[in-house]
Amino acid sequence: ALKAGDNHADEGAKHGTEAMERHAEECVKLGNEAFSHNNFAHAIEKYSEAIGLFPGLPAAWCGRGGVLLRQGKLQEALKDLDEALRLDPGLLYALRDRAEARMKTNDIDGAIEDFNAKLSLAPADGRALSGRGQARMLKGDRSGALTDFNFAVRLGYPGAEELRKKAQHT
């Protein structure tokens, strides 16, 4: 049987969880700020704090995974990016970063899968097109790679022209 005060306890717990989520979101913002200034140690600290406060926040896993990727800690990055995508399968930065981590660990099929998912959500992404083009080259799909590089060049993505020229002369 419910007692008169039970409902207040539920409300208090709910507000406590909401406060922790808000604090975690603030930590992610601080982590993003540090990340944008290449202050990776502080970014990792803030993202980890956010995860500790509210593990269901995909942006925290994505941010930390992105920093770990840029530090070359590929297996750790993949674990965080997998968790971010488990929580939010359409998280664009997580798809892009996991594709790049998969490329660096020679999981070319996995990288193409992630680039395809990213491009289905954001078709005019020169970075993803260039990445998928590079993955296609590694798989021997020169024609598909050239299609991706041509589109990336039309979008004005830096480096796409060099990738296209390299593919044309391979």
Tab-separated table of all heavy atoms in Angstrom, residues 82-144:
chain	number	residue	atom	x	y	z
A	82	ASP	N	31.053	2.912	-30.047
A	82	ASP	CA	30.030	1.861	-30.089
A	82	ASP	C	28.916	2.165	-29.086
A	82	ASP	O	27.734	2.015	-29.387
A	82	ASP	CB	30.643	0.481	-29.761
A	82	ASP	CG	31.438	-0.113	-30.905
A	82	ASP	OD1	31.320	0.358	-32.060
A	82	ASP	OD2	32.187	-1.082	-30.637
A	83	GLU	N	29.308	2.602	-27.881
A	83	GLU	CA	28.316	2.922	-26.849
A	83	GLU	C	27.480	4.131	-27.262
A	83	GLU	O	26.258	4.136	-27.086
A	83	GLU	CB	28.991	3.164	-25.501
A	83	GLU	CG	28.025	3.469	-24.366
A	83	GLU	CD	27.011	2.370	-24.064
A	83	GLU	OE1	27.170	1.213	-24.527
A	83	GLU	OE2	26.029	2.663	-23.352
A	84	ALA	N	28.118	5.155	-27.819
A	84	ALA	CA	27.378	6.335	-28.284
A	84	ALA	C	26.337	5.931	-29.324
A	84	ALA	O	25.187	6.379	-29.266
A	84	ALA	CB	28.345	7.368	-28.870
A	85	LEU	N	26.728	5.057	-30.242
A	85	LEU	CA	25.811	4.642	-31.307
A	85	LEU	C	24.767	3.642	-30.816
A	85	LEU	O	23.681	3.562	-31.382
A	85	LEU	CB	26.603	4.093	-32.494
A	85	LEU	CG	27.353	5.190	-33.252
A	85	LEU	CD1	28.414	4.612	-34.161
A	85	LEU	CD2	26.377	6.066	-34.022
A	86	ARG	N	25.078	2.902	-29.755
A	86	ARG	CA	24.065	2.043	-29.146
A	86	ARG	C	22.957	2.921	-28.561
A	86	ARG	O	21.775	2.630	-28.694
A	86	ARG	CB	24.681	1.162	-28.049
A	86	ARG	CG	23.704	0.127	-27.479
A	86	ARG	CD	24.280	-0.594	-26.272
A	86	ARG	NE	24.398	0.259	-25.100
A	86	ARG	CZ	23.369	0.671	-24.354
A	86	ARG	NH1	22.141	0.337	-24.645
A	86	ARG	NH2	23.581	1.451	-23.290
A	87	LEU	N	23.357	4.036	-27.944
A	87	LEU	CA	22.406	4.954	-27.327
A	87	LEU	C	21.669	5.805	-28.365
A	87	LEU	O	20.510	6.149	-28.168
A	87	LEU	CB	23.134	5.867	-26.328
A	87	LEU	CG	23.703	5.170	-25.096
A	87	LEU	CD1	24.677	6.094	-24.365
A	87	LEU	CD2	22.587	4.715	-24.168
A	88	ASP	N	22.360	6.158	-29.447
A	88	ASP	CA	21.758	6.999	-30.495
A	88	ASP	C	22.347	6.597	-31.845
A	88	ASP	O	23.390	7.110	-32.258
A	88	ASP	CB	22.035	8.477	-30.210
A	88	ASP	CG	21.417	9.396	-31.254
A	88	ASP	OD1	20.842	8.903	-32.252
A	88	ASP	OD2	21.520	10.631	-31.082
A	89	PRO	N	21.699	5.657	-32.553
A	89	PRO	CA	22.240	5.133	-33.814
A	89	PRO	C	22.420	6.182	-34.917
A	89	PRO	O	23.139	5.935	-35.877
A	89	PRO	CB	21.206	4.086	-34.246
A	89	PRO	CG	20.466	3.728	-33.005
A	89	PRO	CD	20.462	4.972	-32.155
A	90	GLY	N	21.816	7.335	-34.788
A	90	GLY	CA	21.943	8.365	-35.812
A	90	GLY	C	22.889	9.492	-35.451
A	90	GLY	O	22.867	10.547	-36.089
A	91	LEU	N	23.739	9.288	-34.463
A	91	LEU	CA	24.660	10.337	-34.019
A	91	LEU	C	25.764	10.523	-35.065
A	91	LEU	O	26.640	9.674	-35.222
A	91	LEU	CB	25.233	9.976	-32.649
A	91	LEU	CG	25.899	11.065	-31.852
A	91	LEU	CD1	24.956	12.243	-31.595
A	91	LEU	CD2	26.367	10.498	-30.519
A	92	LEU	N	25.696	11.627	-35.805
A	92	LEU	CA	26.545	11.824	-36.976
A	92	LEU	C	28.042	11.815	-36.667
A	92	LEU	O	28.817	11.171	-37.366
A	92	LEU	CB	26.156	13.127	-37.691
A	92	LEU	CG	24.743	13.149	-38.264
A	92	LEU	CD1	24.438	14.512	-38.890
A	92	LEU	CD2	24.535	12.046	-39.276
A	93	TYR	N	28.458	12.534	-35.635
A	93	TYR	CA	29.888	12.569	-35.307
A	93	TYR	C	30.390	11.183	-34.907
A	93	TYR	O	31.513	10.802	-35.246
A	93	TYR	CB	30.185	13.562	-34.171
A	93	TYR	CG	30.093	15.005	-34.595
A	93	TYR	CD1	29.203	15.867	-33.958
A	93	TYR	CD2	30.886	15.520	-35.605
A	93	TYR	CE1	29.110	17.202	-34.333
A	93	TYR	CE2	30.801	16.854	-35.988
A	93	TYR	CZ	29.906	17.687	-35.343
A	93	TYR	OH	29.826	19.010	-35.722
A	94	ALA	N	29.567	10.419	-34.193
A	94	ALA	CA	29.971	9.082	-33.777
A	94	ALA	C	30.118	8.165	-34.989
A	94	ALA	O	31.062	7.367	-35.059
A	94	ALA	CB	28.980	8.504	-32.775
A	95	LEU	N	29.203	8.274	-35.950
A	95	LEU	CA	29.312	7.464	-37.173
A	95	LEU	C	30.597	7.803	-37.923
A	95	LEU	O	31.333	6.915	-38.354
A	95	LEU	CB	28.102	7.691	-38.078
A	95	LEU	CG	26.809	7.013	-37.648
A	95	LEU	CD1	25.624	7.574	-38.429
A	95	LEU	CD2	26.901	5.499	-37.823
A	96	ARG	N	30.859	9.102	-38.079
A	96	ARG	CA	32.064	9.524	-38.799
A	96	ARG	C	33.332	9.064	-38.084
A	96	ARG	O	34.226	8.485	-38.691
A	96	ARG	CB	32.076	11.048	-38.946
A	96	ARG	CG	33.271	11.533	-39.762
A	96	ARG	CD	33.633	12.968	-39.489
A	96	ARG	NE	34.031	13.155	-38.104
A	96	ARG	CZ	33.871	14.294	-37.433
A	96	ARG	NH1	33.299	15.322	-37.988
A	96	ARG	NH2	34.291	14.398	-36.200
A	97	ASP	N	33.392	9.303	-36.774
A	97	ASP	CA	34.602	8.945	-36.041
A	97	ASP	C	34.790	7.433	-35.974
A	97	ASP	O	35.911	6.939	-36.073
A	97	ASP	CB	34.581	9.550	-34.635
A	97	ASP	CG	34.906	11.042	-34.643
A	97	ASP	OD1	35.291	11.586	-35.704
A	97	ASP	OD2	34.778	11.673	-33.574
A	98	ARG	N	33.698	6.676	-35.805
A	98	ARG	CA	33.861	5.214	-35.775
A	98	ARG	C	34.309	4.709	-37.143
A	98	ARG	O	35.152	3.808	-37.223
A	98	ARG	CB	32.582	4.519	-35.321
A	98	ARG	CG	32.824	3.015	-35.098
A	98	ARG	CD	31.662	2.308	-34.485
A	98	ARG	NE	30.572	2.171	-35.461
A	98	ARG	CZ	29.440	1.529	-35.203
A	98	ARG	NH1	29.221	0.983	-34.009
A	98	ARG	NH2	28.507	1.441	-36.125
A	99	ALA	N	33.796	5.304	-38.211
A	99	ALA	CA	34.249	4.911	-39.552
A	99	ALA	C	35.755	5.144	-39.681
A	99	ALA	O	36.486	4.278	-40.186
A	99	ALA	CB	33.487	5.695	-40.619
A	100	GLU	N	36.219	6.288	-39.213
A	100	GLU	CA	37.653	6.594	-39.294
A	100	GLU	C	38.472	5.646	-38.417
A	100	GLU	O	39.537	5.176	-38.833
A	100	GLU	CB	37.897	8.057	-38.937
A	100	GLU	CG	37.341	8.991	-40.002
A	100	GLU	CD	37.569	10.470	-39.734
A	100	GLU	OE1	38.394	10.828	-38.867
A	100	GLU	OE2	36.914	11.283	-40.413
A	101	ALA	N	37.974	5.331	-37.223
A	101	ALA	CA	38.677	4.381	-36.348
A	101	ALA	C	38.712	2.995	-36.989
A	101	ALA	O	39.729	2.293	-36.929
A	101	ALA	CB	38.003	4.318	-34.977
A	102	ARG	N	37.602	2.604	-37.611
A	102	ARG	CA	37.562	1.303	-38.285
A	102	ARG	C	38.547	1.267	-39.448
A	102	ARG	O	39.201	0.249	-39.683
A	102	ARG	CB	36.140	0.995	-38.756
A	102	ARG	CG	35.219	0.596	-37.621
A	102	ARG	CD	33.799	0.399	-38.083
A	102	ARG	NE	33.047	-0.443	-37.147
A	102	ARG	CZ	31.785	-0.789	-37.319
A	102	ARG	NH1	31.106	-0.375	-38.392
A	102	ARG	NH2	31.180	-1.549	-36.436
A	103	MET	N	38.670	2.362	-40.193
A	103	MET	CA	39.663	2.420	-41.281
A	103	MET	C	41.063	2.185	-40.718
A	103	MET	O	41.840	1.418	-41.279
A	103	MET	CB	39.633	3.792	-41.972
A	103	MET	CG	38.448	4.040	-42.862
A	103	MET	SD	38.569	3.259	-44.475
A	103	MET	CE	39.867	4.215	-45.231
A	104	LYS	N	41.351	2.845	-39.599
A	104	LYS	CA	42.690	2.759	-39.015
A	104	LYS	C	42.984	1.390	-38.399
A	104	LYS	O	44.134	1.056	-38.161
A	104	LYS	CB	42.878	3.868	-37.974
A	104	LYS	CG	42.952	5.238	-38.615
A	104	LYS	CD	43.105	6.345	-37.601
A	104	LYS	CE	43.217	7.676	-38.326
A	104	LYS	NZ	43.339	8.803	-37.419
A	105	THR	N	41.927	0.610	-38.127
A	105	THR	CA	42.123	-0.747	-37.591
A	105	THR	C	41.878	-1.801	-38.678
A	105	THR	O	41.720	-2.970	-38.373
A	105	THR	CB	41.202	-1.012	-36.383
A	105	THR	OG1	39.846	-0.807	-36.773
A	105	THR	CG2	41.555	-0.113	-35.204
A	106	ASN	N	41.855	-1.347	-39.931
A	106	ASN	CA	41.678	-2.221	-41.100
A	106	ASN	C	40.348	-2.949	-41.150
A	106	ASN	O	40.241	-3.996	-41.780
A	106	ASN	CB	42.850	-3.210	-41.231
A	106	ASN	CG	44.136	-2.494	-41.563
A	106	ASN	OD1	44.129	-1.598	-42.414
A	106	ASN	ND2	45.201	-2.827	-40.877
A	107	ASP	N	39.327	-2.410	-40.497
A	107	ASP	CA	37.969	-2.931	-40.624
A	107	ASP	C	37.295	-2.116	-41.730
A	107	ASP	O	36.469	-1.249	-41.474
A	107	ASP	CB	37.215	-2.817	-39.292
A	107	ASP	CG	35.765	-3.283	-39.388
A	107	ASP	OD1	35.361	-3.807	-40.459
A	107	ASP	OD2	35.028	-3.103	-38.405
A	108	ILE	N	37.695	-2.396	-42.974
A	108	ILE	CA	37.256	-1.589	-44.112
A	108	ILE	C	35.756	-1.753	-44.354
A	108	ILE	O	35.051	-0.774	-44.615
A	108	ILE	CB	38.066	-1.949	-45.380
A	108	ILE	CG1	39.578	-1.850	-45.104
A	108	ILE	CG2	37.663	-1.048	-46.550
A	108	ILE	CD1	40.061	-0.548	-44.524
A	109	ASP	N	35.246	-2.990	-44.245
A	109	ASP	CA	33.808	-3.206	-44.434
A	109	ASP	C	32.993	-2.444	-43.388
A	109	ASP	O	31.976	-1.835	-43.711
A	109	ASP	CB	33.462	-4.703	-44.383
A	109	ASP	CG	34.003	-5.455	-45.597
A	109	ASP	OD1	34.114	-4.846	-46.679
A	109	ASP	OD2	34.299	-6.655	-45.457
A	110	GLY	N	33.459	-2.478	-42.134
A	110	GLY	CA	32.784	-1.740	-41.067
A	110	GLY	C	32.824	-0.245	-41.316
A	110	GLY	O	31.844	0.465	-41.068
A	111	ALA	N	33.961	0.239	-41.820
A	111	ALA	CA	34.099	1.666	-42.123
A	111	ALA	C	33.108	2.068	-43.216
A	111	ALA	O	32.412	3.087	-43.094
A	111	ALA	CB	35.529	1.982	-42.549
A	112	ILE	N	33.025	1.264	-44.270
A	112	ILE	CA	32.095	1.573	-45.367
A	112	ILE	C	30.666	1.585	-44.840
A	112	ILE	O	29.871	2.480	-45.178
A	112	ILE	CB	32.275	0.583	-46.538
A	112	ILE	CG1	33.610	0.862	-47.236
A	112	ILE	CG2	31.109	0.678	-47.519
A	112	ILE	CD1	33.993	-0.158	-48.297
A	113	GLU	N	30.336	0.622	-43.973
A	113	GLU	CA	28.992	0.568	-43.373
A	113	GLU	C	28.680	1.869	-42.618
A	113	GLU	O	27.600	2.443	-42.754
A	113	GLU	CB	28.946	-0.634	-42.427
A	113	GLU	CG	27.625	-0.933	-41.794
A	113	GLU	CD	27.735	-2.142	-40.873
A	113	GLU	OE1	28.176	-3.210	-41.315
A	113	GLU	OE2	27.381	-1.985	-39.691
A	114	ASP	N	29.656	2.350	-41.810
A	114	ASP	CA	29.450	3.594	-41.059
A	114	ASP	C	29.385	4.810	-41.968
A	114	ASP	O	28.555	5.709	-41.760
A	114	ASP	CB	30.547	3.775	-40.002
A	114	ASP	CG	30.344	2.894	-38.784
A	114	ASP	OD1	29.230	2.355	-38.602
A	114	ASP	OD2	31.303	2.753	-38.007
A	115	PHE	N	30.261	4.863	-42.988
A	115	PHE	CA	30.202	5.984	-43.933
A	115	PHE	C	28.852	5.990	-44.649
A	115	PHE	O	28.247	7.049	-44.845
A	115	PHE	CB	31.347	5.931	-44.949
A	115	PHE	CG	32.681	6.355	-44.411
A	115	PHE	CD1	33.797	5.534	-44.559
A	115	PHE	CD2	32.857	7.586	-43.769
A	115	PHE	CE1	35.049	5.925	-44.080
A	115	PHE	CE2	34.095	7.984	-43.281
A	115	PHE	CZ	35.197	7.151	-43.441
A	116	ASN	N	28.350	4.804	-45.034
A	116	ASN	CA	27.043	4.718	-45.690
A	116	ASN	C	25.932	5.234	-44.774
A	116	ASN	O	25.047	5.976	-45.215
A	116	ASN	CB	26.736	3.288	-46.128
A	116	ASN	CG	27.537	2.867	-47.341
A	116	ASN	OD1	28.051	3.697	-48.088
A	116	ASN	ND2	27.652	1.570	-47.547
A	117	ALA	N	25.987	4.836	-43.506
A	117	ALA	CA	24.972	5.291	-42.542
A	117	ALA	C	25.037	6.811	-42.388
A	117	ALA	O	24.015	7.501	-42.378
A	117	ALA	CB	25.168	4.597	-41.196
A	118	LYS	N	26.240	7.344	-42.280
A	118	LYS	CA	26.430	8.797	-42.142
A	118	LYS	C	25.881	9.520	-43.361
A	118	LYS	O	25.169	10.516	-43.245
A	118	LYS	CB	27.929	9.099	-41.958
A	118	LYS	CG	28.312	10.573	-42.000
A	118	LYS	CD	28.264	11.190	-40.654
A	118	LYS	CE	28.927	12.524	-40.502
A	118	LYS	NZ	28.456	13.616	-41.274
A	119	LEU	N	26.216	8.994	-44.548
A	119	LEU	CA	25.800	9.648	-45.785
A	119	LEU	C	24.301	9.510	-46.043
A	119	LEU	O	23.710	10.361	-46.700
A	119	LEU	CB	26.613	9.110	-46.966
A	119	LEU	CG	28.075	9.578	-46.945
A	119	LEU	CD1	28.921	8.735	-47.869
A	119	LEU	CD2	28.169	11.053	-47.300
A	120	SER	N	23.675	8.473	-45.486
A	120	SER	CA	22.215	8.360	-45.634
A	120	SER	C	21.515	9.449	-44.826
A	120	SER	O	20.419	9.869	-45.171
A	120	SER	CB	21.730	6.969	-45.207
A	120	SER	OG	21.755	6.829	-43.802
A	121	LEU	N	22.171	9.915	-43.766
A	121	LEU	CA	21.604	10.969	-42.919
A	121	LEU	C	22.064	12.370	-43.343
A	121	LEU	O	21.355	13.347	-43.121
A	121	LEU	CB	21.995	10.721	-41.462
A	121	LEU	CG	21.477	9.409	-40.854
A	121	LEU	CD1	22.176	9.108	-39.537
A	121	LEU	CD2	19.977	9.477	-40.658
A	122	ALA	N	23.274	12.455	-43.893
A	122	ALA	CA	23.848	13.746	-44.308
A	122	ALA	C	24.575	13.531	-45.634
A	122	ALA	O	25.793	13.348	-45.663
A	122	ALA	CB	24.806	14.266	-43.232
A	123	PRO	N	23.847	13.520	-46.759
A	123	PRO	CA	24.431	13.138	-48.054
A	123	PRO	C	25.537	14.070	-48.569
A	123	PRO	O	26.399	13.624	-49.309
A	123	PRO	CB	23.244	13.159	-49.019
A	123	PRO	CG	22.023	13.249	-48.189
A	123	PRO	CD	22.414	13.768	-46.850
A	124	ALA	N	25.522	15.323	-48.188
A	124	ALA	CA	26.502	16.283	-48.707
A	124	ALA	C	27.652	16.482	-47.724
A	124	ALA	O	28.039	17.596	-47.412
A	124	ALA	CB	25.818	17.606	-49.031
A	125	ASP	N	28.219	15.390	-47.240
A	125	ASP	CA	29.318	15.434	-46.273
A	125	ASP	C	30.608	15.038	-46.994
A	125	ASP	O	30.862	13.856	-47.226
A	125	ASP	CB	29.014	14.485	-45.109
A	125	ASP	CG	30.080	14.511	-44.031
A	125	ASP	OD1	31.273	14.696	-44.346
A	125	ASP	OD2	29.714	14.335	-42.863
A	126	GLY	N	31.387	16.041	-47.354
A	126	GLY	CA	32.619	15.794	-48.104
A	126	GLY	C	33.614	14.912	-47.380
A	126	GLY	O	34.296	14.094	-48.000
A	127	ARG	N	33.691	15.062	-46.077
A	127	ARG	CA	34.634	14.249	-45.301
A	127	ARG	C	34.229	12.777	-45.351
A	127	ARG	O	35.066	11.904	-45.548
A	127	ARG	CB	34.680	14.760	-43.857
A	127	ARG	CG	35.692	14.060	-42.993
A	127	ARG	CD	35.829	14.801	-41.686
A	127	ARG	NE	36.643	14.081	-40.732
A	127	ARG	CZ	36.952	14.557	-39.543
A	127	ARG	NH1	36.530	15.749	-39.181
A	127	ARG	NH2	37.691	13.859	-38.719
A	128	ALA	N	32.935	12.507	-45.179
A	128	ALA	CA	32.460	11.117	-45.231
A	128	ALA	C	32.604	10.552	-46.643
A	128	ALA	O	32.978	9.384	-46.816
A	128	ALA	CB	31.016	11.029	-44.755
A	129	LEU	N	32.316	11.368	-47.663
A	129	LEU	CA	32.488	10.916	-49.043
A	129	LEU	C	33.943	10.578	-49.335
A	129	LEU	O	34.243	9.553	-49.948
A	129	LEU	CB	31.993	11.991	-50.020
A	129	LEU	CG	30.480	12.121	-50.132
A	129	LEU	CD1	30.101	13.481	-50.714
A	129	LEU	CD2	29.908	10.984	-50.961
A	130	SER	N	34.856	11.442	-48.882
A	130	SER	CA	36.282	11.184	-49.099
A	130	SER	C	36.722	9.932	-48.357
A	130	SER	O	37.484	9.113	-48.897
A	130	SER	CB	37.114	12.387	-48.661
A	130	SER	OG	36.869	13.482	-49.517
A	131	GLY	N	36.236	9.769	-47.129
A	131	GLY	CA	36.575	8.574	-46.356
A	131	GLY	C	36.057	7.310	-47.010
A	131	GLY	O	36.775	6.308	-47.128
A	132	ARG	N	34.790	7.349	-47.466
A	132	ARG	CA	34.240	6.163	-48.122
A	132	ARG	C	34.983	5.895	-49.429
A	132	ARG	O	35.241	4.733	-49.776
A	132	ARG	CB	32.746	6.326	-48.375
A	132	ARG	CG	32.127	5.037	-48.951
A	132	ARG	CD	30.639	5.120	-49.102
A	132	ARG	NE	30.267	6.071	-50.157
A	132	ARG	CZ	29.010	6.366	-50.481
A	132	ARG	NH1	28.000	5.815	-49.812
A	132	ARG	NH2	28.752	7.221	-51.436
A	133	GLY	N	35.346	6.952	-50.135
A	133	GLY	CA	36.130	6.776	-51.365
A	133	GLY	C	37.450	6.077	-51.092
A	133	GLY	O	37.846	5.162	-51.826
A	134	GLN	N	38.123	6.477	-50.015
A	134	GLN	CA	39.385	5.824	-49.662
A	134	GLN	C	39.155	4.357	-49.300
A	134	GLN	O	39.941	3.483	-49.694
A	134	GLN	CB	40.049	6.570	-48.504
A	134	GLN	CG	40.561	7.927	-48.911
A	134	GLN	CD	41.075	8.717	-47.719
A	134	GLN	OE1	40.317	9.098	-46.833
A	134	GLN	NE2	42.371	8.952	-47.708
A	135	ALA	N	38.082	4.086	-48.576
A	135	ALA	CA	37.758	2.702	-48.210
A	135	ALA	C	37.449	1.887	-49.465
A	135	ALA	O	37.891	0.741	-49.601
A	135	ALA	CB	36.577	2.676	-47.238
A	136	ARG	N	36.706	2.487	-50.393
A	136	ARG	CA	36.392	1.785	-51.642
A	136	ARG	C	37.662	1.487	-52.439
A	136	ARG	O	37.770	0.421	-53.058
A	136	ARG	CB	35.418	2.617	-52.476
A	136	ARG	CG	33.998	2.585	-51.934
A	136	ARG	CD	33.073	3.480	-52.731
A	136	ARG	NE	31.676	3.115	-52.527
A	136	ARG	CZ	30.653	3.774	-53.050
A	136	ARG	NH1	30.861	4.836	-53.819
A	136	ARG	NH2	29.421	3.384	-52.815
A	137	MET	N	38.602	2.406	-52.450
A	137	MET	CA	39.882	2.157	-53.136
A	137	MET	C	40.571	0.940	-52.522
A	137	MET	O	41.092	0.088	-53.239
A	137	MET	CB	40.808	3.381	-53.043
A	137	MET	CG	40.453	4.510	-53.984
A	137	MET	SD	40.581	4.100	-55.741
A	137	MET	CE	42.356	3.928	-55.931
A	138	LEU	N	40.570	0.868	-51.201
A	138	LEU	CA	41.206	-0.270	-50.518
A	138	LEU	C	40.516	-1.586	-50.862
A	138	LEU	O	41.147	-2.639	-50.847
A	138	LEU	CB	41.211	-0.053	-49.003
A	138	LEU	CG	42.129	1.061	-48.512
A	138	LEU	CD1	41.877	1.342	-47.029
A	138	LEU	CD2	43.596	0.705	-48.746
A	139	LYS	N	39.212	-1.529	-51.168
A	139	LYS	CA	38.458	-2.727	-51.543
A	139	LYS	C	38.553	-3.014	-53.046
A	139	LYS	O	37.977	-3.971	-53.530
A	139	LYS	CB	36.975	-2.573	-51.159
A	139	LYS	CG	36.693	-2.443	-49.686
A	139	LYS	CD	36.880	-3.718	-48.929
A	139	LYS	CE	35.788	-4.703	-49.252
A	139	LYS	NZ	35.914	-5.950	-48.496
A	140	GLY	N	39.265	-2.150	-53.796
A	140	GLY	CA	39.409	-2.356	-55.235
A	140	GLY	C	38.266	-1.779	-56.058
A	140	GLY	O	38.162	-2.058	-57.252
A	141	ASP	N	37.406	-0.950	-55.450
A	141	ASP	CA	36.273	-0.339	-56.148
A	141	ASP	C	36.659	1.075	-56.601
A	141	ASP	O	36.228	2.069	-56.031
A	141	ASP	CB	35.043	-0.318	-55.225
A	141	ASP	CG	33.829	0.337	-55.861
A	141	ASP	OD1	33.857	0.639	-57.078
A	141	ASP	OD2	32.840	0.561	-55.125
A	142	ARG	N	37.496	1.138	-57.656
A	142	ARG	CA	37.994	2.424	-58.146
A	142	ARG	C	36.860	3.299	-58.672
A	142	ARG	O	36.831	4.508	-58.449
A	142	ARG	CB	39.034	2.167	-59.233
A	142	ARG	CG	39.749	3.391	-59.692
A	142	ARG	CD	40.953	3.007	-60.566
A	142	ARG	NE	41.374	4.154	-61.321
A	142	ARG	CZ	41.021	4.386	-62.583
A	142	ARG	NH1	40.271	3.547	-63.238
A	142	ARG	NH2	41.451	5.478	-63.192
A	143	SER	N	35.904	2.693	-59.365
A	143	SER	CA	34.777	3.438	-59.923
A	143	SER	C	33.942	4.088	-58.819
A	143	SER	O	33.602	5.275	-58.893
A	143	SER	CB	33.910	2.486	-60.760
A	143	SER	OG	32.696	3.089	-61.088
A	144	GLY	N	33.613	3.323	-57.782
A	144	GLY	CA	32.856	3.869	-56.645
A	144	GLY	C	33.633	4.956	-55.938
A	144	GLY	O	33.067	5.972	-55.518
